[in-house]
Amino acid sequence: MTKSFKNDEIRAVFGAYDANIKALESLINVTVRTTCDGVEISGNVADAEMAGLLLDKLCLAVRRGENIDPDKVKQYYDILSADPSSLDNITSQAVCVNAHWQKIYAKTLRQKKFIDAVNNNLLTFAIGPAGTGKTYLAVAMAANAVKKGLVDRIILTRPAIEAGEKLGFLPGDLQMKVDPYLKPLYDALMEMFGDDYNKLIERGTVEIAPLAYMRGRTLSHAFIILDEAQNTTPEQMKMFLTRFGEGSRVIVTGDVTQIDIRGEKSGLVDAEDVLKDVDGIAFVHLSDDDVVRHGLVMKIVKAYNKHSQRRNHSGNGKTE
């Protein structure tokens, strides 16, 4: 099979030292090489067609301004293998345009489900392991809402709890103590707004605060994100969920495998038990397969989960 592509698209898709095509060839039993007419794919008919489809989709990604690397090749292959038509749905609409004019898209089927849930519900819970893009996509959707004038402000919060550390031993007032824990939110906002970020903070368009600051407030016409919600207590979660008012939309993110509170049920776990059947509220579960950081991160997450399962089975007196 021979397919025609523009030279600049071929270079971007193949990658440095043909790393991307090597990744494709390892996933699909084909050989891909450039010719004077385009790209030649050698293999059985079914594999060659899959490789050709994957190359088409990667070229479309290049035209959209996306960077192609071996992890992207693997993500696209997994999606096409599950449902060839779903990739077009995932990449049909950008979530947001960041400060560098790069369009941000969902990268997995569950990420797209998360985005759709936020668009269709006033309150959405995104639950999944580290690296699945929960916080990043939540901030991107909030930034998009502000840029389009759908809300007046963004409010980002998280509980001031971290494994193995006590806030009392950190220097400064409460805001200074919790700033390090809010760094992931700062980083995501900086990517979305760039140089305008500090102006938005000064004007109050963007507010980042510890969860304790939410008590007693009514948050109207805002896009509100509660991050690291697994470390809330049920009382804190209830307090937070009763803060938002007219014209607001809420995203709650968390990872139930990283609960740092002790001696009490996680507010995130409790909320799913209490609210799972309430209209207007969506729960989206992301998995190891949705990890979109470096490919090694996905392997690390899966290895830890596998080890935890073995340990739990052993603790229950079960044998492998």
Side-chain angles (χ1 to χ4, degrees), residues 14-319:
F14 272 56
Y17 304 103
D18 296 341
N20 300 333
I21 289 302
K22 290 176 182 176
L24 184 152
E25 290 174 335
S26 70
L27 293 167
I28 310 171
N29 188 25
V30 295
T31 300
V32 181
R33 67 183 184 89
T34 56
T35 68
C36 58
D37 298 322
V39 173
E40 183 178 87
I41 306 170
S42 302
N44 68 48
V45 174
D47 288 339
E49 288 180 350
M50 170 60 88
L53 179 60
L54 180 53
L55 286 172
D56 285 339
K57 300 304 182 184
L58 291 171
C59 280
L60 287 173
V62 169
R63 291 169 202 162
R64 290 193 301 267
E66 295 186 48
N67 294 320
I68 307 301
D69 57 23
D71 289 336
K72 174 80 73 177
V73 174
K74 176 67 163 59
Q75 288 167 7
Y76 273 31
Y77 171 74
D78 288 342
I79 295 169
L80 288 173
S81 298
D83 180 1
S85 65
S86 61
L87 186 57
D88 293 333
N89 182 38
I90 289 174
T91 58
S92 61
Q93 186 174 5
V95 179
C96 183
V97 178
N98 68 16
H100 306 291
W101 297 102
Q102 295 172 328
K103 293 182 178 180
I104 297 167
Y105 295 88
K107 294 184 178 180
T108 70
L109 292 170
R110 292 188 189 90
Q111 282 194 355
K112 184 62 168 61
K113 183 180 178 182
F114 171 35
I115 293 166
D116 290 342
V118 173
N119 290 332
N120 295 318
N121 296 274
L122 294 178
L123 170 58
T124 302
F125 290 80
I127 303 169
T132 51
K134 304 182 300 297
T135 301
Y136 183 80
L137 285 176
V139 172
M141 286 184 277
N144 187 57
V146 165
K147 290 177 180 181
K148 289 187 173 181
L150 302 177
V151 296
D152 296 333
R153 54 184 174 152
I154 298 171
I155 298 174
L156 304 155
T157 186
R158 65 186 295 184
I161 296 176
E162 195 73 9
E165 296 190 24
K166 302 292 186 181
L167 287 177
F169 289 101
L170 298 176
D173 59 18
L174 180 58
Q175 187 65 51
M176 292 177 64
K177 291 175 187 289
V178 299
D179 269 354
Y181 303 111
L182 301 172
K183 188 68 165 59
L185 301 175
Y186 291 131
D187 291 343
L189 282 168
M190 282 294 293
E191 182 168 340
M192 300 305 155
F193 291 111
D195 294 337
D196 292 333
Y197 168 72
N198 289 326
K199 297 177 184 177
L200 294 172
I201 290 285
E202 291 172 3
R203 292 201 297 260
T205 305
V206 174
E207 178 184 349
I208 305 178
L211 184 58
Y213 284 19
M214 298 298 108
R215 188 174 299 277
R217 302 177 63 185
T218 299
L219 309 174
S220 301
H221 305 290
F223 204 116
I224 310 160
I225 299 171
L226 170 59
D227 194 33
E228 300 291 347
Q230 75 275 3
N231 287 327
T232 62
T233 65
E235 290 75 18
Q236 287 174 325
M237 179 64 76
K238 180 182 177 182
M239 178 274 292
F240 170 77
L241 294 179
T242 54
R243 294 307 93 199
F244 75 97
E246 182 180 355
S248 289
R249 194 168 296 268
V250 180
I251 297 177
V252 177
T253 68
D255 177 3
V256 294
T257 68
Q258 295 187 9
I259 298 173
D260 296 319
I261 57 175
R262 296 290 180 265
E264 193 165 3
K265 187 177 184 180
S266 164
L268 180 59
V269 175
D270 183 69
E272 186 164 16
D273 291 340
V274 174
L275 303 174
K276 59 185 177 183
D277 297 322
V278 177
D279 290 338
I281 300 176
F283 288 85
V284 179
H285 290 266
L286 302 163
S287 76
D288 304 346
D289 294 327
D290 298 298
V291 173
V292 292
R293 292 178 186 168
H294 192 286
L296 184 59
V297 176
M298 181 184 291
K299 295 177 182 178
I300 291 170
V301 171
K302 288 186 174 181
Y304 268 97
N305 287 344
K306 186 176 181 180
H307 177 74
S308 178
Q309 290 171 2
R310 286 200 305 266
R311 184 173 56 193
N312 290 340
H313 282 202
S314 175
N316 292 330
K318 298 179 181 179
T319 57

